[in-house]
Amino acid sequence: MVLIKSPQATTPEEQLLVQFRGMIAEYERAQIAERSRRGKKYRAKAGSINVLPGAPYGYRYIRKTDTSAAYYEIEEIEASTVRKIFDLYTKDFLSIGAIAKKITSEGIPTKTGKSVWDRSVIWAMLKNPAYKGTACYGKTEVAQRKKVTRLSRKRGGFSPRCSSTKELPMKDWIEIPVAAIISEETFEIAQERLQKNKALSRRRTIEPTLLQGVLVCRLCGYAYYRTSTRTSKRKIYYYRCLGSDDYRYTNGRVCENQPIRQDYLDEVIYCVGGVISPLLANIFMHHALDEWMKRHFPYVKFERFADDGLLHCQSLRQAEKVLEAIKDRLKECGLELHPEKTKIVYCKDGKRKLKYSNHSFDFLGYTFRPRKSRNRYGRIFLNFTPAVSNKAKSKIMEEIKSWKLHRKTNLSLIEIAKKISVVRLEICL
């Protein structure tokens, strides 16, 4: 804890006092939050409208006075729009997208004064029970954020709010009576149709895709969604940028990127040796091996890069025990150890002088083996140290030869450096 307006703690006693003040402040903050939650819940059960965040579209919030409690007053102009939306959905059977286009074309402003009605706004209005006369408190709760929004991607993945809201079951909602705009029968018909659309909608993603919810457009920052089109023979799926849809924006599309065939992109990304294969291997091995090692062998230190790992054991007996346990664990996960790369190595040096068959290994392009070294006094001793492996050296030499520097004698050193400035050395480990 750091106190901004307080003198900096210099002694251990002052630092301890600051920590105590921090703990007390955190405790008080939690107590205040819990008391506020209980108080709002009590007021909601008593029928008070004050606990709700604000009046929805179609209502005006009237503050409490000395003679009357707070209440929702119907805003007749907005209420007529609400009735029209429900009629278009329950009687004319228009889709939510068609309703949004129709209301937008008529120039009716939203609650915030915008001229464009989004489909999510229409969907939320159709689900709001306040319009049938029962506003509800406690419909959502705070949960950990799972999705990365466009704004947080622009900040580099950082968001000051790492939380989101999650909808609770209807049985946990607390109903507060308000003035009704539509009949309860109309509202129930809308809910029935929403449930039916959720199950039978043509745009529902019944077939899962590998990259859905993962792709992000580099030009506009919006996410890609999956869409499809039909030919005379089959159905073809595409990934399409949200910014390239004209109907979503007042002035038309904001991105010029074209749709991408799903099957082509999935094959490029997820094939063996694809650009994302190391990432997928790393995620899988984190759960299959790393977390398992921490639970069953917390005293064994280890390093892992993708599917290559290195474990530090204190004795041969311990190494054999851990190796057998890892074989069984990988077998459970449908994997197996590489027969040639998997071995127990004795790290021989000036202090460890026992005899063992294996004294060297390769890891991350380096060969670890006993080598002669000099200490700070200039004396030579045996040390177990790494150096670039022969395989990595060969790769590096092949890459340098591919530059064909002997044919670039007409270029200056600066021009040669610019041509080879972006080089990717793929060292086989």
Side-chain angles (χ1 to χ4, degrees), residues 199-269:
L200 304 176
S201 175
R202 291 179 300 172
R203 296 183 60 83
R204 187 175 178 227
T205 306
I206 299 175
E207 297 181 10
T209 58
L210 295 172
L211 295 173
Q212 188 169 1
V214 178
L215 295 176
V216 178
C217 180
R218 188 175 182 180
L219 292 181
C220 64
Y222 283 106
Y224 274 74
Y225 68 95
R226 194 183 72 161
T227 185
S228 62
T229 184
R230 285 192 177 275
T231 65
S232 57
K233 295 183 179 180
R234 61 192 178 110
K235 193 175 185 180
I236 302 175
Y237 291 97
Y238 291 88
Y239 293 118
R240 184 179 177 88
C241 176
L242 285 168
S244 63
D245 293 334
D246 279 325
Y247 70 89
R248 296 181 187 271
Y249 310 96
T250 308
N251 300 321
R253 61 192 297 177
V254 297
C255 182
E256 299 298 327
N257 266 352
Q258 298 297 317
I260 309 170
R261 279 276 295 268
Q262 175 206 325
D263 50 351
Y264 293 167
L265 188 60
D266 288 353
E267 184 179 357
V268 170
I269 297 296

Side-chain angles (χ1 to χ4, degrees), residues 199-405:
L200 304 176
S201 175
R202 291 179 300 172
R203 296 183 60 83
R204 187 175 178 227
T205 306
I206 299 175
E207 297 181 10
T209 58
L210 295 172
L211 295 173
Q212 188 169 1
V214 178
L215 295 176
V216 178
C217 180
R218 188 175 182 180
L219 292 181
C220 64
Y222 283 106
Y224 274 74
Y225 68 95
R226 194 183 72 161
T227 185
S228 62
T229 184
R230 285 192 177 275
T231 65
S232 57
K233 295 183 179 180
R234 61 192 178 110
K235 193 175 185 180
I236 302 175
Y237 291 97
Y238 291 88
Y239 293 118
R240 184 179 177 88
C241 176
L242 285 168
S244 63
D245 293 334
D246 279 325
Y247 70 89
R248 296 181 187 271
Y249 310 96
T250 308
N251 300 321
R253 61 192 297 177
V254 297
C255 182
E256 299 298 327
N257 266 352
Q258 298 297 317
I260 309 170
R261 279 276 295 268
Q262 175 206 325
D263 50 351
Y264 293 167
L265 188 60
D266 288 353
E267 184 179 357
V268 170
I269 297 296
Y270 284 96
C271 66
V272 178
V275 294
I276 207 170
S277 292
L279 177 61
L280 294 176
N282 194 47
I283 294 173
F284 182 82
M285 292 300 293
H286 173 75
H287 296 283
L289 182 65
D290 298 356
E291 296 297 326
W292 179 85
M293 282 290 297
K294 292 176 183 177
R295 291 194 305 269
H296 293 82
F297 298 99
Y299 48 85
V300 177
K301 296 180 179 180
F302 68 95
E303 293 85 30
R304 184 186 58 78
F305 180 81
D307 57 351
D308 285 347
L310 179 65
L311 286 80
H312 305 269
C313 297
Q314 298 178 355
S315 64
L316 177 61
R317 183 178 178 183
Q318 185 187 72
E320 292 173 345
K321 178 183 176 182
V322 174
L323 182 59
E324 289 301 320
I326 290 177
K327 286 181 180 178
D328 295 337
R329 170 59 179 172
L330 295 182
K331 190 175 181 180
E332 293 176 3
C333 301
L335 302 173
E336 62 179 359
L337 292 172
H338 195 286
E340 297 179 2
K341 296 177 69 174
T342 305
K343 57 184 177 181
I344 298 175
V345 178
Y346 181 66
C347 301
K348 185 177 181 179
D349 60 11
K351 295 181 180 179
R352 292 185 285 262
K353 302 180 180 179
L354 297 179
K355 293 183 179 180
Y356 195 75
S357 56
N358 296 321
H359 294 98
S360 66
F361 63 92
D362 289 356
F363 186 66
L364 300 181
Y366 289 88
T367 297
F368 294 75
R369 67 175 179 83
R371 304 174 192 276
K372 292 182 179 180
S373 303
R374 287 184 183 273
N375 60 17
R376 58 180 177 176
Y377 303 109
R379 297 173 184 172
I380 297 176
F381 69 101
L382 192 63
N383 195 9
F384 195 84
T385 55
V388 180
S389 65
N390 292 332
K391 201 171 184 180
K393 284 181 183 178
S394 300
K395 271 288 184 182
I396 294 171
M397 291 305 298
E398 288 176 8
E399 182 66 29
I400 293 175
K401 287 179 181 178
S402 68
W403 298 344
K404 299 179 180 179
L405 296 177

Side-chain angles (χ1 to χ4, degrees), residues 177-196:
V178 295
I181 294 179
I182 61 171
S183 65
E184 190 169 348
E185 293 78 10
T186 302
F187 184 79
E188 293 303 327
I189 293 172
Q191 303 315 299
E192 233 177 276
R193 194 175 172 212
L194 284 171
Q195 289 297 325
K196 190 178 291 185

Side-chain angles (χ1 to χ4, degrees), residues 27-243:
Y27 173 75
E28 283 297 325
R29 187 171 70 89
Q31 287 289 330
I32 291 170
E34 177 61 20
R35 291 179 194 133
S36 299
R37 186 192 66 81
R38 290 203 306 263
K40 287 183 177 181
K41 190 174 182 180
Y42 174 80
R43 295 291 298 275
K45 288 181 177 179
S48 176
I49 206 76
N50 304 58
V51 295
L52 298 177
Y57 186 86
Y59 293 98
R60 184 191 301 117
Y61 180 80
I62 305 299
R63 295 176 179 273
K64 67 176 183 177
T65 62
D66 296 336
T67 57
S68 65
Y71 63 95
Y72 281 172
E73 183 182 70
I74 295 179
E75 182 71 44
E76 286 301 333
I77 298 177
E78 294 182 356
S80 62
T81 305
V82 174
R83 296 188 190 100
K84 184 174 185 178
I85 289 172
F86 274 88
D87 287 342
L88 290 172
Y89 192 68
T90 59
K91 295 180 180 179
D92 298 342
F93 298 104
L94 293 184
S95 66
I96 293 177
I99 295 173
K101 287 181 180 179
K102 185 174 180 59
I103 301 297
T104 301
S105 64
E106 293 178 2
I108 301 173
T110 64
K111 187 77 172 178
T112 56
K114 295 180 181 178
S115 59
V116 179
W117 286 73
D118 195 80
R119 290 181 297 176
S120 61
V121 176
I122 304 295
W123 174 80
M125 290 176 65
L126 292 171
K127 288 189 65 179
N128 194 343
Y131 295 123
K132 69 172 183 176
T134 52
C136 293
Y137 173 78
K139 294 190 292 184
T140 59
E141 68 175 355
V142 178
Q144 187 176 3
R145 181 181 293 275
K146 294 182 179 180
K147 293 183 178 180
V148 181
T149 61
R150 179 172 180 254
L151 293 176
S152 60
R153 282 197 296 269
K154 284 188 172 182
R155 299 191 195 103
F158 170 78
S159 175
R161 287 179 64 249
C162 60
S163 61
S164 62
T165 56
K166 182 180 72 173
E167 187 171 337
L168 293 174
M170 291 186 66
K171 62 182 179 63
D172 297 334
W173 297 2
I174 301 174
E175 295 183 349
I176 304 172
V178 295
I181 294 179
I182 61 171
S183 65
E184 190 169 348
E185 293 78 10
T186 302
F187 184 79
E188 293 303 327
I189 293 172
Q191 303 315 299
E192 233 177 276
R193 194 175 172 212
L194 284 171
Q195 289 297 325
K196 190 178 291 185
N197 286 350
K198 187 177 181 180
L200 304 176
S201 175
R202 291 179 300 172
R203 296 183 60 83
R204 187 175 178 227
T205 306
I206 299 175
E207 297 181 10
T209 58
L210 295 172
L211 295 173
Q212 188 169 1
V214 178
L215 295 176
V216 178
C217 180
R218 188 175 182 180
L219 292 181
C220 64
Y222 283 106
Y224 274 74
Y225 68 95
R226 194 183 72 161
T227 185
S228 62
T229 184
R230 285 192 177 275
T231 65
S232 57
K233 295 183 179 180
R234 61 192 178 110
K235 193 175 185 180
I236 302 175
Y237 291 97
Y238 291 88
Y239 293 118
R240 184 179 177 88
C241 176
L242 285 168

